[in-house]
Amino acid sequence: MSIVCSLPAGWLLDHLSFINKSGYQLSHSQDSSGWVSSNDAFSAASTDADVTGTTNLDIASSSRKYPVSEMKALGKEASQKTYVFREELFNVLKPHISVLQTELQQRICEANLENDGSVPHEKAKNEESQVFTIKAKKKRKRSSELNHGERDALEYHLKISGVILDGTKSLVQEALRSGFLWSASRQQFHAKTLVAGHHDCSLAELCEMAKQFHPVNEDEQRTQCRINAGGCLPQVQLSYVTENTTNYAKIITLMGEKYLFPPKSAFLLSDVSVMQPLLDYKKKFGIIVIDPPWENKSVKRSNRYSYLSHWQIKQIPVPALAAPDCLVVTWVTNRQKHLRFVKNELYPYWSVHGVVEWFWVKITRSGEFVFPLDSFHKKPYEVLILGRVQGSTDRPLRISEDIVLPAIPDQKLIVSVPCTLHSHKPPLADVLKEYAKPEVNCLELFARNLQPGWTSWGNEVLKFQHIDYFTALQDKTD
């Protein structure tokens, strides 16, 4: 369980504990079954030269296998290890920016809001000058006038901030009493250990490369590939969903990079142009969590991440993947344009009803907001929009004579210490199961990690499964 405490306001979660209880232990009987060739991408493997610049992929001859003796040695070594996620990646010990600067910025915003967008009064001008004097570096002064989007965001924030403040306070107090969090006066200063750098094999680029491979013919085509107990790991392909049906973790190697594959999980590594294998998987899902790559200015400027337009997001085949009364959860940025799109356009298009809002609140190890609640540029919370496919939350849904599916409550909080890795979201499995049918299939779209019991899809679906994010512990039975 990831739930540290549960109150009417919501839940406080332990993300790290959830990951480590997922079962990253390799089978003691595992030898060569836990390893695959060092260049095993998709239906044919590419060499390191292919990754670093050679575009001519030799499909027939590029694969190199380890010698049997080396494979057995690697397998023996792996069988002695259990992997745990690096604790230092959750050592968020203090807020990221000054509270003083945030308070000044917020007073300017509220003054502008009161002015209804007209020329700001003298108080706002004076406070703006204070904001920029305390900055360490000189930057171009932003206009004191709020644009339409900023005004919408501020109005929304003022509407929900009380709920977030009061709910977080009660959950943090409970976590302090339990000892999960500690007060700033008792702060334990951990030495910050940097995660060892690794050569990112760029999963998104790998998906693009795979489109150049010859298409799988009908004789070769299959819906899924199962890894059973004692079975060897196959080559990962875009053409089918890969499953680990065992009770142990496995190790997958792509382009020389190793990734941990947790037990009882499945994934499809592909982008939006190759989703048919997921539809051919013949599973209907009772919970679908979606974390779309939303368009924003910083993404456009950096060119580091691709994003999808609203039209492209609407084409994701959620209705075809959803079971009756499926619980749909969508992560939304704090931009009002995207929030309105999900509630007023996307969910009606997917026939999702009974829409409510939840909030993920990010705190430090001592229970402070990671950003001050009234920070102008960064908020310490993100929004989740929930609803049901072809259902209503106006009244409880009776599944059988003995099981009643409760309505989804509005404005619940999920409070946690966030991972320092960008876009590493908290686990939702434990908090969502109360509002779904028992033993449902669960799906995460645009996932960057895997979870036991879940099917995950995305062009970076193995990103946070990289072995560099884990520490190997020796088995006590050695």
Side-chain angles (χ1 to χ4, degrees):
M1 288 285 288
S2 63
I3 299 175
V4 175
C5 57
S6 177
L7 296 174
W11 308 268
L12 194 141
L13 303 185
D14 183 351
H15 192 167
L16 179 63
S17 175
F18 177 85
I19 296 173
N20 290 337
K21 288 180 180 178
S22 295
Y24 286 102
Q25 182 177 16
L26 277 71
S27 169
H28 284 280
S29 62
Q30 181 181 343
D31 42 49
S32 62
S33 63
W35 300 83
V36 290
S37 61
S38 64
N39 43 7
D40 58 352
F42 310 113
S43 61
S46 302
T47 64
D48 290 341
D50 292 327
V51 182
T52 57
T54 303
T55 56
N56 182 19
L57 303 179
D58 185 349
I59 302 301
S61 62
S62 63
S63 179
R64 177 182 70 82
K65 301 291 183 181
Y66 287 114
V68 173
S69 60
E70 186 179 353
M71 292 283 282
K72 288 183 177 179
L74 287 170
K76 183 178 180 182
E77 180 185 2
S79 68
Q80 298 172 351
K81 291 179 180 177
T82 296
Y83 288 88
V84 294
F85 204 73
R86 289 181 177 270
E87 182 179 359
E88 64 266 23
L89 292 173
F90 285 92
N91 278 347
V92 182
L93 303 179
K94 60 182 181 179
H96 298 316
I97 63 173
S98 163
V99 175
L100 172 61
Q101 180 177 340
T102 298
E103 288 176 350
L104 292 171
Q105 289 174 331
Q106 183 64 16
R107 291 208 300 270
I108 295 169
C109 295
E110 290 174 351
N112 286 326
L113 191 64
E114 291 171 2
N115 262 2
D116 196 28
S118 60
V119 178
H121 49 58
E122 199 62 34
K123 179 182 176 183
K125 287 182 178 178
N126 291 337
E127 289 179 338
E128 183 192 25
S129 65
Q130 294 179 54
V131 170
F132 289 98
T133 25
I134 66 171
K135 289 190 176 180
K137 294 183 180 179
K138 291 183 179 180
K139 295 183 179 179
R140 179 180 62 85
K141 290 185 180 181
R142 59 172 286 114
S143 169
S144 297
E145 245 182 272
L146 299 179
N147 62 37
H148 180 70
E150 290 170 335
R151 287 175 57 80
D152 281 353
L154 180 56
E155 288 176 356
Y156 178 77
H157 169 75
L158 294 174
K159 183 174 68 175
I160 65 171
S161 58
V163 172
I164 292 174
L165 181 62
D166 295 340
T168 302
K169 183 179 179 181
S170 62
L171 286 163
V172 165
Q173 287 175 342
E174 185 66 26
L176 287 169
R177 280 193 291 267
S178 71
F180 176 72
L181 299 176
W182 52 77
S183 63
S185 61
R186 295 173 50 236
Q187 185 68 275
Q188 300 175 19
F189 293 97
H190 300 270
K192 187 174 182 180
T193 304
L194 295 178
V195 176
H198 65 268
H199 300 289
D200 188 359
C201 77
S202 188
L203 299 171
E205 291 180 15
L206 202 56
C207 290
E208 286 296 321
M209 290 168 57
K211 296 176 185 179
Q212 303 174 28
F213 297 170
H214 64 82
V216 178
N217 61 46
E218 291 184 2
D219 294 333
E220 295 173 330
Q221 193 171 23
R222 49 182 169 168
T223 302
Q224 64 193 54
C225 178
R226 287 188 172 180
I227 303 169
N228 299 312
C232 292
L233 282 177
Q235 295 172 343
V236 178
Q237 299 190 18
L238 275 80
S239 57
Y240 51 74
V241 176
T242 304
E243 288 184 335
N244 180 2
T245 62
T246 74
N247 293 319
Y248 295 96
K250 301 288 183 178
I251 294 180
I252 294 175
T253 308
L254 289 175
M255 300 297 191
E257 302 291 336
K258 294 183 177 65
Y259 301 89
L260 284 167
F261 190 179
K264 304 296 183 182
S265 63
F267 71 88
L268 172 64
L269 174 64
S270 74
D271 62 20
V272 290
S273 67
V274 189
M275 290 195 71
Q276 191 58 42
L278 197 56
L279 295 169
D280 294 338
Y281 193 34
K282 305 300 183 185
K283 276 191 177 182
K284 296 291 186 180
F285 298 94
I287 296 176
I288 299 178
V289 176
I290 311 162
D291 186 13
W294 296 105
E295 174 188 350
N296 63 54
K297 291 179 181 178
S298 63
V299 168
K300 283 184 173 181
R301 285 195 301 265
S302 68
N303 289 324
R304 290 175 57 197
Y305 307 102
S306 59
Y307 60 86
L308 297 182
S309 67
H310 286 179
W311 180 87
Q312 288 172 309
I313 293 172
K314 285 176 68 174
Q315 308 315 308
I316 298 168
V318 166
L321 295 166
D325 299 320
C326 170
L327 178 60
V328 178
V329 183
T330 303
W331 289 95
V332 187
T333 67
N334 288 319
R335 193 175 177 186
Q336 293 302 295
K337 173 184 176 182
H338 300 321
L339 188 64
R340 285 194 295 267
F341 164 71
V342 172
K343 296 171 72 173
N344 302 332
E345 190 173 344
L346 181 64
Y347 274 13
Y349 185 79
W350 285 345
S351 299
V352 175
H353 304 282
V355 178
V356 298
E357 296 178 7
W358 288 6
F359 308 99
W360 173 34
V361 183
K362 294 172 261 190
I363 60 171
T364 68
R365 292 294 298 169
S366 58
E368 299 174 273
F369 293 118
V370 294
F371 293 100
L373 184 58
D374 292 328
S375 171
F376 181 77
H377 293 292
K378 294 279 190 179
K379 301 297 184 190
Y381 58 83
E382 294 184 32
V383 184
L384 302 87
I385 308 298
L386 298 86
R388 294 194 193 278
V389 173
Q390 298 178 350
S392 171
T393 57
D394 293 340
R395 55 188 176 84
L397 300 170
R398 185 165 293 278
I399 304 170
S400 68
E401 291 300 318
D402 302 317
I403 303 174
V404 174
L405 197 60
I408 311 170
D410 196 12
Q411 294 192 325
K412 295 281 268 187
L413 305 187
I414 297 171
V415 179
S416 71
V417 178
C419 182
T420 56
L421 299 173
H422 178 66
S423 295
H424 202 304
K425 294 296 197 294
L428 301 178
D430 290 338
V431 299
L432 294 180
K433 64 183 182 181
E434 180 181 348
Y435 306 102
K437 297 178 182 179
E439 306 299 325
V440 296
N441 297 314
C442 302
L443 172 66
E444 184 173 5
L445 301 176
F446 302 100
R448 296 177 182 86
N449 61 284
L450 309 180
Q451 299 181 60
W454 285 61
T455 299
S456 303
W457 166 84
N459 66 351
E460 293 187 310
V461 72
L462 298 175
K463 182 179 179 69
F464 298 135
Q465 300 301 132
H466 196 285
I467 203 165
D468 277 1
Y469 296 132
F470 293 78
T471 300
L473 304 178
Q474 288 299 120
D475 195 321
K476 294 180 181 179
T477 61
D478 283 358

